[in-house]
Amino acid sequence: MSVLSKLKEALVCLRAGRVTLPYPAQPRPVPPRFRGRPIFDAAKCIGCAGCANNCPAREILVFDVCQEIRILKYLGRRCTYCGRCADVCPEKAITMSHEFENATNQIGDIQQTLELFMSTCQRCGRCFKEPSPLEQLKLKGYRFDDLAHDRWVFRSQAYLTRETAADDVNIDLD
Amino acid sequence: MLKNLCRKMFGRSLWVYHANSGGCNGCDIEVLNVLTPYYDAERFGIRLVGSPRHADVMLCQGPAMRPTAQALRRAYDAMPAPKLVFAIGSCACGGGVWHDTYNVLGPVEKIVPVDFYIPGCPPRPEAILYGVAVALGLADKKTAPVTFKQAELPIPRYHPGDLRREGDMIVYTKVETWMRQPRG
C-alpha cells in the first residue's frame, strides 16, 4: 500500500515537471491592469493638488514656497497603489506604471518631487484656478505641508477661513 | 578552495522568522507564496523557522501597533547578532493607510531598525524575491529619488509698460522674446 502510494506520488511529481520560475534571472511580466508605482509627469501637471487631497494614505505633500512655485512631493512609503491619484488627476499627469521592483535599503529612494510653476492671474495676482474640478476638491488658498519631516499638515489656515475674492458680488435673495 | 566555496554557498543562507505585528494578513499570504515551489525561495537558502532564536532575518508585516510593540521588540532582541530586518508591505514601511488611528504607532522602524524596505500593498511575490535578491547582492536596486522642475526662473513679470503697439495690435514684448527662446 505504502509503496504503491509512493510510486503514485512519484508519478505525479514527474508529470508536473519543473514549475519553478527563473524569476530574478529573467524578468516576469505583470498582468496588463496591474497598478505599480505611480509616475508623475511634471510637464502635464497643473499643480491642482487633487491627488494630495484624495490620497487615502496622505502620501502626497504640497508646499507653496512662494507665489509661483509649488512643490509636490510623493513619498511612497505607505502608498497602497490604489490609483485614486491617477483617477482624480484632471490632466492625466499620473500614470500607474508596471514597476513593482521597488525594494530598497533607504526608504527615501521611492519618493518623487515635482517643482511646479504656477502662473498667476494678471489682475488679482493669485494663481489660476480651474473652476469645476477644484471646486469639487474643495481647494482654497495654499497648502503648507511639512516637507522637512515628511508630515502631512491636517489643514492649512487658508482652508479654514473662507476667503472672498475681490470682485465677489453678494446677491441677496428675498 | 572548498572552504571558500562553502562560504559562498552556505554563508548567506538566510533563515527567516515571520513576524506579523498587526497587519491584515495580505502580506503573510504573499510571503507564504514565495516559499511555495512556484517561486521557490529555498534556491537562495531561505527557510522559514518558527523561533526568532534560530533566525537571521525577521520579516516584519503590519505597522508598529501599541499592543504588539513590546512583543516585536522582544522577538528582535532574541535573534542572534548578525541580523537583518525586512519591512514588507506599506504598513511596515510607512504605517499603512490607518497610520493615524489610535493604536498604530507608525512604521516598524520606530521599534526595530529596518534594513530593507519592500513597498506594496501587498507586494507581489516577485517583489519580495527581488528584495531578497537585492539583500543578497544578486540584483541591483532600481529605484532612486526623482526631482522634476517644470519651468526655469526667472520668468518675466507682466507690466503694462512693456506693451508695444504694432500696427493694429498691441504686443507684449517680453513674452514674445521669452517664447522665442529655446527651452530645454
Side-chain angles (χ1 to χ4, degrees):
Chain A
M1 181 63 190
S2 74
V3 176
L4 270 181
S5 70
K6 289 272 192 275
L7 275 176
K8 197 177 167 189
E9 196 180 329
L11 265 180
V12 167
C13 290
L14 280 176
R15 198 180 298 150
R18 185 179 172 178
V19 292
T20 306
L21 299 169
Y23 166 62
Q26 292 175 14
R28 172 129 165 91
V30 293
R33 295 186 64 192
F34 177 75
R35 291 192 304 264
R37 196 160 74 109
I39 301 292
F40 289 73
D41 191 351
K44 289 182 188 170
C45 182
I46 59 169
C48 70
C51 47
N53 279 10
N54 260 275
C55 182
R58 303 290 172 208
E59 276 293 82
I60 304 171
L61 307 180
V62 178
F63 186 80
D64 293 322
V65 181
C66 59
Q67 181 78 0
E68 286 164 344
I69 294 180
R70 162 171 280 189
I71 292 181
L72 199 137
K73 194 173 180 184
Y74 163 75
L75 300 173
R77 299 167 309 184
R78 61 181 106 94
C79 177
T80 54
Y81 308 99
C82 61
R84 279 175 69 174
C85 51
D87 277 349
V88 83
C89 185
E91 295 293 312
K92 304 293 172 210
I94 305 171
T95 48
M96 305 302 284
S97 70
H98 285 181
E99 291 178 25
F100 61 89
E101 294 159 337
N102 298 327
T104 55
N105 50 357
Q106 288 173 347
I107 196 66
D109 283 349
I110 322 170
Q111 68 191 22
Q112 298 175 49
T113 310
L114 307 189
E115 204 172 301
L116 305 168
F117 172 72
M118 309 287 287
S119 56
T120 48
C121 174
Q122 292 181 355
R123 286 187 182 172
C124 66
R126 279 179 282 179
C127 295
F128 280 121
K129 288 202 284 186
E130 292 284 324
S132 54
L134 299 195
E135 288 302 319
Q136 289 172 5
L137 299 170
K138 296 178 183 172
L139 252 187
K140 278 194 173 179
Y142 304 105
R143 289 274 301 264
F144 293 98
D145 290 333
D146 192 359
L147 291 195
H149 300 99
D150 294 347
R151 272 185 310 194
W152 177 70
V153 177
F154 183 57
R155 271 173 187 176
S156 63
Q157 189 68 29
Y159 184 92
L160 289 175
T161 57
R162 193 181 167 194
E163 291 176 341
T164 50
D167 295 334
D168 269 359
V169 179
N170 289 324
I171 300 172
D172 288 328
L173 297 173
D174 291 330
Chain B
M1 164 136 186
L2 189 67
K3 196 179 169 186
N4 281 339
L5 191 70
C6 281
R7 187 172 293 162
K8 196 176 176 187
M9 298 302 288
F10 301 114
R12 290 178 177 178
S13 66
L14 306 174
W15 286 16
V16 300
Y17 172 67
H18 177 174
N20 187 339
S21 60
C24 68
N25 237 334
C27 301
D28 301 281
I29 290 169
E30 299 297 329
V31 165
L32 292 184
N33 216 346
V34 170
L35 299 168
T36 54
Y38 199 60
Y39 294 103
D40 199 13
E42 293 206 18
R43 283 179 294 169
F44 309 113
I46 293 165
R47 232 191 108 200
L48 194 69
V49 292
S51 166
R53 292 183 196 283
H54 301 161
D56 304 311
V57 176
M58 187 155 79
L59 306 178
C60 286
Q61 288 117 32
M65 299 183 81
R66 213 150 48 96
T68 56
Q70 288 277 340
L72 189 67
R73 184 70 208 184
R74 273 174 58 206
Y76 176 77
D77 289 339
M79 278 163 60
K83 46 193 168 185
L84 283 175
V85 177
F86 279 57
I88 293 179
S90 2
C91 292
C93 287
V97 185
W98 293 279
H99 59 99
D100 49 359
T101 50
Y102 68 98
N103 54 352
V104 175
L105 297 180
V108 286
E109 64 190 0
K110 287 198 172 180
I111 297 174
V112 293
V114 177
D115 297 298
F116 283 91
Y117 300 87
I118 304 173
C121 189
R124 287 174 72 80
E126 291 96 335
I128 298 175
L129 262 187
Y130 186 81
V132 171
V134 166
L136 290 177
L138 300 172
D140 296 329
K141 63 177 182 181
K142 290 183 181 175
T143 50
V146 182
T147 304
F148 293 109
K149 286 189 180 176
Q150 204 174 46
E152 277 149 35
L153 296 177
I155 286 168
R157 299 293 297 262
Y158 167 81
H159 197 265
D162 296 324
L163 293 174
R164 181 166 50 83
R165 178 174 287 277
E166 272 191 4
D168 294 339
M169 290 190 298
I170 293 176
V171 184
Y172 182 51
T173 49
K174 271 193 180 176
V175 164
E176 292 275 304
T177 53
W178 180 64
M179 294 290 276
R180 276 185 209 128
Q181 284 171 5
R183 273 179 290 166

